Amino acid sequence: IKGEIKSTHEIIVSIGSGIAIKKDAEGAREILTGQKEDLKDSLDKMLANLQQCTDIVGSLQAQAEQIAAAAQGNMTQMG
C-alpha cells in the first residue's frame, strides 16, 4: 500500500485506552518520550520480578533435591 504525507503539522498520537489525539511535532515527541520512559520502567520492574522468581525456583530446587536425597537415604536404611 502506497501513501503520501501531505502535512506534518499535526501528528496523531495514541495516549492509551484506545484514545488518540492530534499534537504538533514537539508535543508528540514529549508524549512519546514519556511513553518510552514508562515502558523502560515497566521492563525494569518485570526483569526484577523475573530475577526474584528465578531465585525462588533455584532455592526450591535445592530444597527438593535435599528432600529427595533424605527420602532415598531412608529407603536404603529400611531395605
Side-chain angles (χ1 to χ4, degrees):
I1 298 175
K2 291 186 178 183
E4 184 178 321
I5 298 175
K6 294 186 180 203
S7 172
T8 57
H9 298 294
E10 290 184 326
I11 300 168
I12 298 174
V13 181
S14 173
I15 58 170
S17 298
I19 300 171
I21 58 173
K22 288 183 181 180
K23 287 297 223 176
D24 62 5
E26 185 58 34
R29 183 176 289 117
E30 289 174 13
I31 289 172
L32 294 174
T33 299
Q35 290 175 346
K36 181 180 175 183
E37 288 300 316
D38 291 345
L39 287 171
K40 184 184 178 306
D41 291 344
S42 293
L43 178 60
D44 290 344
K45 288 176 186 175
M46 287 190 296
L47 290 173
N49 287 339
L50 177 60
Q51 184 60 53
Q52 189 176 21
C53 289
T54 301
D55 294 345
I56 290 169
V57 168
S59 173
L60 291 174
Q61 182 178 5
Q63 289 177 17
E65 288 171 359
Q66 289 174 349
I67 291 169
Q72 190 172 17
N74 287 339
M75 293 298 286
T76 341
Q77 289 176 356
M78 295 175 79

